[in-house]
Amino acid sequence: QNDSAVREHVSRSALAPHQLKCESSTSSKKSHLKPALAIESKKNVKPPFPINMTGYSGPARAYPSFTDPFPCTPTTAGPKGQNFLMRTDPASTGFLFQRPLKTGSTTLAGTVMRIAHRKAKVLLQNVTAPKNTTKEYCMHRSNHGTGVSYKYAERDRAKSFLFSIIRNPTKRSISQFFHFEVSVGQKEPTDKEFQNSMLGGMYRNYYIKDLSLKQARSTAGGDYTQEVKDIIDGYDFIGITERYDESLVVLKMLVGLDFEDILYVKERSEGMFSNGSGDRPCIYLVPSFITHGMKEFFDGTAWKNHVNGDIQLYQAAYRSLDLTIERLGKAEVQRQLEYFQKVNKWAQEQCDGFARSMCTESGEVVPHKERTCMIWGEGCSHACLDGLVIPRKDGDPI
């Protein structure tokens, strides 16, 4: 089978439960695994898994605008072996993105790095950079890690802006399972494998553990009001993946960014090849699906208790986004959102086909010299986006 046939063969609409398997590519040029086998016509269940916001009265706040100067100092060299762009050591100052898994964070990390680069060109132009630092980027964080590991509880709030983005916890968990356990780990997505993984410690209140600024408990079930309040109060902003563009616009307004700063092109998604490691440098990201049995599991008490803290945090962040929009002015946020979506669509059209990541559409490794990414497979459209100037007439995009 050729690669285009394989991709068509496992399209989202065709995947069926229990029948997704992998075979090694026989091509000497590729070392990835690719989906194969015949697929049943049985439709998969794709419920929205809504989280009830009606009557929510838990922790929430309208995030204030960041009135201090944009937190930009030369980026210092990290521990040995760490790149300036993807450091994982603690930070007390800078533009700090706490980055959870499978929330659209790869695309947002590219935006963060672009902002750090664009701001540095203006704010650090006349600054003398100390030894072992670079003026190419403002100090920032955009790699994975926990709020505890980065020691964000000790940050200087006048010289740092700490933010994150979270997604519907159930949708995030499904995406994580298919990315890391099916696509990378080559696990077959049966109901049994799925449920055993979901009830493991990695998925239990993942956000509470990832975003907390102090060691958080991870007991299933119970009241997480205090942990949620501590997170909401400890961050300068938390966006919502399901409201991605809206969250970007609010971030822009809070920090005082330009529209050019937040332009983006989606980095990668299921149904594509992504970077792997070792003898599998390119990995096919198997599109996610759930069966009726999986849906019953997610509708059950065991799962809801397992992610109870994450559900509470999602409700708090969702409500906080609403409150922040009310403070900024609903009409003004809507005006800027419509403006941004228009110019970002234009930007995506301008940069269509520009990105060259670590893997081709057919799963072959792209040579380093041909890649356009800022690092690894991230920020791959940055050179195109940074070269754009939004065409305007009387202040409005053309």
Side-chain angles (χ1 to χ4, degrees):
Q1 290 180 308
N2 60 40
D3 289 292
S4 61
V6 169
R7 289 195 302 278
E8 181 179 359
H9 192 55
V10 293
S11 65
R12 181 190 293 271
S13 61
L15 282 171
H18 313 309
Q19 296 214 353
L20 180 65
K21 296 186 178 181
C22 294
E23 64 178 13
S24 297
S25 171
T26 57
S27 169
S28 60
K29 296 182 179 180
K30 309 182 184 74
S31 58
H32 55 264
L33 296 181
K34 61 185 182 183
L37 297 185
I39 301 296
E40 292 181 354
S41 60
K42 180 180 177 181
K43 292 184 178 180
N44 302 296
V45 183
K46 297 292 282 189
F49 297 115
I51 291 179
N52 185 17
M53 292 299 301
T54 303
Y56 174 75
S57 59
R61 71 177 180 127
Y63 288 105
S65 298
F66 190 72
T67 56
D68 291 295
F70 184 86
C72 184
T73 58
T75 299
T76 58
K80 186 177 181 180
Q82 286 195 17
N83 186 285
F84 278 103
L85 287 173
M86 283 294 168
R87 292 173 50 181
T88 57
D89 54 311
S92 60
T93 63
F95 196 52
L96 310 174
F97 172 38
Q98 177 56 29
R99 180 182 174 183
L101 294 169
K102 309 311 297 176
T103 59
S105 63
T106 297
T107 298
L108 186 51
T111 302
V112 170
M113 290 187 289
R114 282 189 60 244
I115 292 171
H117 177 59
R118 290 171 61 85
K119 287 294 185 181
K121 289 195 296 183
V122 176
L123 300 177
L124 299 181
Q125 184 177 13
N126 298 317
V127 173
T128 300
K131 186 178 180 181
N132 295 325
T133 66
T134 177
K135 295 199 301 180
E136 190 174 354
Y137 297 92
C138 298
M139 179 74 80
H140 68 283
R141 290 292 182 272
S142 57
N143 205 339
H144 296 295
T146 67
V148 172
S149 69
Y150 282 114
K151 296 185 178 180
Y152 287 146
E154 303 172 18
R155 70 188 177 98
D156 185 336
R157 297 195 72 146
K159 297 180 179 179
S160 65
F161 187 89
L162 176 62
F163 65 104
S164 187
I165 188 167
I166 62 176
R167 179 183 182 186
N168 178 303
T170 299
K171 293 180 180 179
R172 191 209 69 79
S173 297
I174 294 170
S175 181
Q176 179 176 329
F177 174 78
F178 274 89
H179 184 109
F180 292 103
E181 302 192 46
V182 177
S183 301
V184 177
Q186 304 175 61
K187 185 178 290 185
E188 189 170 355
T190 64
D191 281 8
K192 182 178 180 180
E193 290 282 7
F194 191 82
Q195 293 180 24
N196 286 343
S197 293
M198 289 293 116
L199 291 177
M202 178 68 176
Y203 295 86
R204 180 188 297 139
N205 289 323
Y206 169 81
Y207 289 139
I208 296 293
K209 293 179 288 187
D210 194 76
L211 273 69
S212 288
L213 304 186
K214 57 185 179 181
Q215 204 64 45
R217 63 191 174 115
S218 59
T219 304
D223 183 8
Y224 283 82
T225 301
Q226 189 58 52
E227 286 85 351
V228 168
K229 184 178 186 305
D230 289 345
I231 292 172
I232 294 297
D233 291 344
Y235 282 71
D236 297 304
F237 178 62
I238 298 177
I240 298 293
T241 302
E242 287 80 6
R243 300 167 68 179
Y244 191 85
D245 286 358
E246 194 176 15
S247 296
L248 270 183
V249 168
V250 171
L251 175 66
K252 168 199 170 294
M253 296 175 72
L254 291 178
V255 185
L257 302 172
D258 298 322
F259 283 106
E260 282 87 350
D261 293 328
I262 61 172
L263 297 174
Y264 72 89
V265 174
K266 192 172 183 180
E267 294 290 351
R268 59 173 177 254
S269 61
E270 56 186 26
M272 300 172 60
F273 283 93
S274 182
N275 55 293
S277 61
D279 62 350
R280 299 176 64 211
C282 292
I283 294 173
Y284 182 78
L285 300 181
V286 178
S288 59
F289 64 85
I290 68 167
T291 67
H292 288 284
M294 294 171 185
K295 181 183 182 303
E296 290 178 2
F297 167 74
F298 285 128
D299 288 339
T301 302
W303 172 250
K304 291 178 180 178
N305 285 340
H306 204 60
V307 294
N308 184 42
D310 281 2
I311 291 173
Q312 291 177 44
L313 180 59
Y314 185 86
Q315 291 173 313
Y318 201 101
R319 178 59 180 149
S320 294
L321 178 56
D322 286 341
L323 291 174
T324 305
I325 290 172
E326 289 177 14
R327 185 188 67 77
L328 293 170
K330 288 184 179 180
E332 178 59 18
V333 173
Q334 183 62 31
R335 185 191 72 80
Q336 292 204 28
L337 175 61
E338 292 175 1
Y339 183 106
F340 172 66
Q341 290 179 327
K342 182 175 181 179
V343 297
N344 199 57
K345 180 181 178 182
W346 168 80
Q348 291 176 345
E349 291 170 351
Q350 297 300 305
C351 295
D352 183 40
F354 176 86
R356 291 279 287 169
S357 187
M358 299 175 72
C359 301
T360 67
E361 292 183 356
S362 59
E364 296 182 353
V365 176
V366 176
H368 281 277
K369 64 181 180 180
E370 296 179 14
R371 299 174 190 174
T372 61
C373 308
M374 300 181 84
I375 184 173
W376 305 329
E378 304 182 9
C380 301
S381 297
H382 74 99
C384 178
L385 293 172
D386 284 342
L388 297 178
V389 177
I390 297 173
R392 293 180 173 92
K393 183 177 181 180
D394 297 327
D396 294 323
I398 298 175

